[in-house]
Amino acid sequence: MLGFDIHKLAEQFVYHADEPLLFNSGFFLFLFTGFIWVYIVLSPMQRPKLIFVTLFSLYFYYKSSGGYFVLLIFAAVVDFTLAKWIHASTDPWRRKFFIVLTLVINLGLLGYFKYSNLLYETFCFIADKPFEPSDIFLPVGVSFFTFQSLSYTLDVYRGTLKPVDHLVDYAFFVSFFPQLVAGPIVRAADFIPQIYKPTVVTKEMLGRAVFLIGCGLFKKAVIADYISVNFVDRVFDAPALYTGLENLFAVYGYALQIYCDFSGYSDMAIGIALLLGFHFNINFDSPYQSKNITEFWRRWHISLSSWLRDYLYISLGGNRKGKARTYVNLMITMLLGGLWHGASWRFLIWGGLHGGALAFHKYITEKVDLSWRGWHIAGVVITFHFVCFCWIFFRAPDLGTVGQMLAQITTHFKAQIFFDFIAGYKGVVLLMLLAYILHFMPKRFEFSAEETITRMPLVAQAACLTAVILLVLQMKMAGVQPFIYFQF
């Protein structure tokens, strides 16, 4: 007897709140293996291909958020219908009514699930009443697919995009699983035309996909998860128990963790989309190499920052209504961008700090010549440390923890324990050092590595990707604890 239990197998296909489906999970690898074979068979047939991928994407979302996949279907039906009405209407007032309606429905749903407790907490604080948070489940990726869907209706309203003819086409765009739960935020104008083209995956696309998926897995499941569990989380949970030196390194570690987390998932999404014949734009471009905060936001989470620029900042007036109004528009945009990331005053402060920095940089560049070569190096150091300072508000569970971390760094630094710290966290420090070296390398090294992978035979590409997957699975089985490769 092999001891095969059909019920345990069936349980794997059911939603579990404590185990949402992610790209770096073994079950996703199992599902995707079966999915890709069916996709290859259906790829010459457009309509069956779209229906199959849409159904798989809805199942993927079910495995991430349970019955809330119905919310995704509702959003798709509503925005598809309203976009058709906006396009068909010639009455300006009717068009405005429909676009306001889609904004109210989409932002209303986002507001209910994400911001109800924040608003109620604020009300209780003002009214001096005890606050009891409501048990409201936050569907995974609701911020991403809300913004993605809004970009479609807003572009149709502006007349820069023609609405699709079939609901399946739009549902395919909104629910496409590679970018569904963690981005990048794909624009309809970039993605929808690709739906109607034949499915083609060239050797170059395959090689780039392997490179991106491998890099993404390594960033997310090796670097981010390892330093998070083994160091960063411990310090942020109780900063007063650690010296200022350890707190500072935890901030550096979190800066690396959040970059590897976000960009790693984006890399995997872009790579998986390439395997299916679809192209996404780059979402992270070595942001810590930025010489100023404006450049940082051109390199960090590009799909979000460009969305905020095109649909919020420019809609507020951008820089067309004078300097003072420009600074206000920057601040409003970043405050709302902070709230997009999370329903907490910490995120509002984080957004406000970035908004103030963007306004200050815009002001100072009009007064001072910053083209001197030496300033570029100083600019990278200053920008990186400002971003790290802001990350404390982003990561800390509350403002009290922020105060503790800053107090430890400024008053209890204890530099003399540096070598003891290195000895105690060899694996973490080595991994952080390696990751920062790779991050600050010139882009030509990345392009060279990608080209090398692309030129490899298919068997060699598969071997490289398999090695990364096995490393990730080993870490998963070990609970992301220190493992043999980083023990000295």
Side-chain angles (χ1 to χ4, degrees):
M1 292 291 290
L2 296 176
F4 179 75
D5 190 336
I6 189 66
H7 297 292
K8 288 185 178 180
L9 178 63
E11 274 291 307
Q12 295 295 314
F13 291 87
V14 179
Y15 167 69
H16 297 282
D18 55 339
E19 295 181 0
L21 184 61
L22 298 172
F23 290 158
N24 58 316
S25 66
F27 187 66
F28 175 78
L29 180 63
F30 168 76
L31 280 180
F32 188 73
T33 302
F35 165 85
I36 198 67
W37 286 108
V38 179
Y39 183 82
I40 291 171
V41 172
L42 296 178
S43 59
M45 301 171 281
Q46 186 195 48
R47 191 59 53 190
K49 176 187 72 175
L50 296 182
I51 293 172
F52 170 67
V53 176
T54 302
L55 291 175
F56 182 84
S57 297
L58 290 174
Y59 174 72
F60 181 89
Y61 194 68
Y62 160 76
K63 278 288 291 177
S64 301
S65 294
Y68 287 94
F69 77 93
V70 175
L71 186 67
L72 185 60
I73 297 173
F74 173 76
V77 172
V78 167
D79 287 333
F80 170 78
T81 304
L82 288 174
K84 297 283 275 188
W85 290 352
I86 290 170
H87 182 72
S89 177
T90 56
D91 182 357
W93 288 105
R94 283 175 61 84
R95 287 168 54 81
K96 287 181 180 179
F97 171 76
F98 291 140
I99 195 63
V100 168
L101 183 59
T102 191
L103 287 169
V104 168
I105 292 173
N106 281 279
L107 297 180
L109 287 172
L110 179 61
Y112 169 75
F113 286 106
K114 198 164 186 176
Y115 305 110
S116 292
N117 277 319
L118 176 63
L119 293 173
Y120 182 50
E121 181 183 9
T122 305
F123 169 78
C124 290
F125 176 78
I126 295 172
D128 195 23
K129 293 182 177 180
F131 170 64
E132 290 291 336
S134 301
D135 186 18
I136 299 176
F137 178 80
L138 179 62
V140 175
V142 63
S143 299
F144 287 96
F145 71 71
T146 298
F147 270 28
Q148 182 162 315
S149 193
L150 278 177
S151 74
Y152 172 78
T153 50
L154 288 168
D155 283 349
V156 171
Y157 176 76
R158 291 175 174 180
T160 59
L161 182 70
K162 182 181 177 182
V164 296
D165 295 324
H166 303 286
L167 177 60
V168 170
D169 298 351
Y170 185 69
F172 180 89
F173 158 67
V174 173
S175 67
F176 192 51
F177 73 91
Q179 45 74 46
L180 179 58
V181 298
I185 302 170
V186 180
R187 301 285 186 89
D190 296 327
F191 185 80
I192 288 177
Q194 299 183 56
I195 294 176
Y196 306 110
K197 295 179 180 178
T199 302
V200 176
V201 179
T202 64
K203 185 178 183 297
E204 289 72 22
M205 291 171 64
L206 183 60
R208 185 161 187 260
V210 169
F211 176 77
L212 288 170
I213 294 171
C215 286
L217 276 171
F218 188 78
K219 286 181 188 176
K220 171 70 181 74
V222 178
I223 298 176
D225 288 355
Y226 184 85
I227 65 175
S228 169
V229 171
N230 291 284
F231 178 56
V232 173
D233 289 352
R234 299 176 187 178
V235 179
F236 272 92
D237 286 344
L241 299 180
Y242 296 86
T243 65
L245 177 75
E246 291 166 309
N247 274 266
L248 180 62
F249 268 84
V251 175
Y252 291 154
Y254 182 67
L256 191 62
Q257 176 199 331
I258 193 170
Y259 166 71
C260 289
D261 224 330
F262 283 4
S263 71
Y265 209 92
S266 288
D267 287 348
M268 287 187 279
I270 295 169
I272 291 171
L274 279 172
L275 290 179
L276 305 182
F278 293 89
H279 297 267
F280 291 165
N281 294 326
I282 186 174
N283 203 29
F284 290 84
D285 185 17
S286 302
Y288 296 139
Q289 294 186 21
S290 304
K291 297 182 290 293
N292 53 68
I293 196 64
T294 302
E295 183 183 348
F296 174 81
W297 278 104
R298 290 174 183 155
R299 290 168 170 258
W300 176 272
H301 212 323
I302 300 168
S303 64
L304 172 64
S305 59
S306 61
W307 196 101
L308 292 171
R309 178 197 66 206
D310 294 344
Y311 297 106
L312 183 55
Y313 174 70
I314 291 176
S315 297
L316 290 170
N319 59 1
R320 303 187 303 273
K321 298 186 178 182
K323 294 181 181 179
R325 180 65 180 272
T326 298
Y327 303 149
V328 171
N329 291 341
L330 284 169
M331 182 61 75
I332 292 173
T333 299
M334 293 311 299
L335 286 171
L336 293 176
L339 280 178
W340 180 87
H341 283 88
S344 168
W345 291 106
R346 296 179 294 104
F347 292 104
L348 197 66
I349 294 171
W350 176 83
L353 288 169
H354 276 277
L358 286 168
F360 176 75
H361 178 255
K362 196 167 188 66
Y363 170 80
I364 204 71
T365 51
E366 297 172 354
K367 306 291 183 181
V368 182
D369 180 14
L370 301 177
S371 60
W372 177 52
R373 175 67 180 173
W375 171 250
H376 290 180
I377 299 172
V380 172
V381 175
I382 293 170
T383 301
F384 173 71
H385 281 87
F386 172 77
V387 171
C388 285
F389 170 73
C390 295
W391 284 139
I392 299 175
F393 293 87
F394 197 95
R395 170 61 180 83
D398 51 58
L399 292 177
T401 303
V402 173
Q404 289 180 20
M405 292 199 77
L406 294 177
Q408 291 297 100
I409 292 171
T410 54
T411 62
H412 297 85
F413 193 74
K414 297 187 178 179
Q416 65 270 23
I417 70 148
F418 177 74
F419 292 106
D420 292 333
F421 168 74
I422 298 296
Y425 289 98
K426 291 176 183 176
V428 170
V429 173
L430 178 62
L431 205 53
M432 286 176 59
L433 182 62
L434 172 64
Y436 272 120
I437 289 172
L438 291 174
H439 182 83
F440 280 96
M441 275 186 174
K443 294 296 288 185
R444 64 177 181 272
F445 289 100
E446 180 183 335
F447 294 146
S448 177
E450 182 178 326
E451 187 177 356
T452 300
I453 295 292
T454 301
R455 290 180 175 179
M456 284 181 177
L458 182 59
V459 174
Q461 292 176 351
C464 291
L465 186 56
T466 301
V468 176
I469 292 172
L470 289 175
L471 176 61
V472 170
L473 291 177
Q474 177 185 349
M475 292 184 67
K476 290 292 182 185
M477 289 186 291
V480 202
Q481 296 300 319
F483 55 115
I484 190 169
Y485 301 107
F486 298 113
Q487 289 178 348
F488 295 92

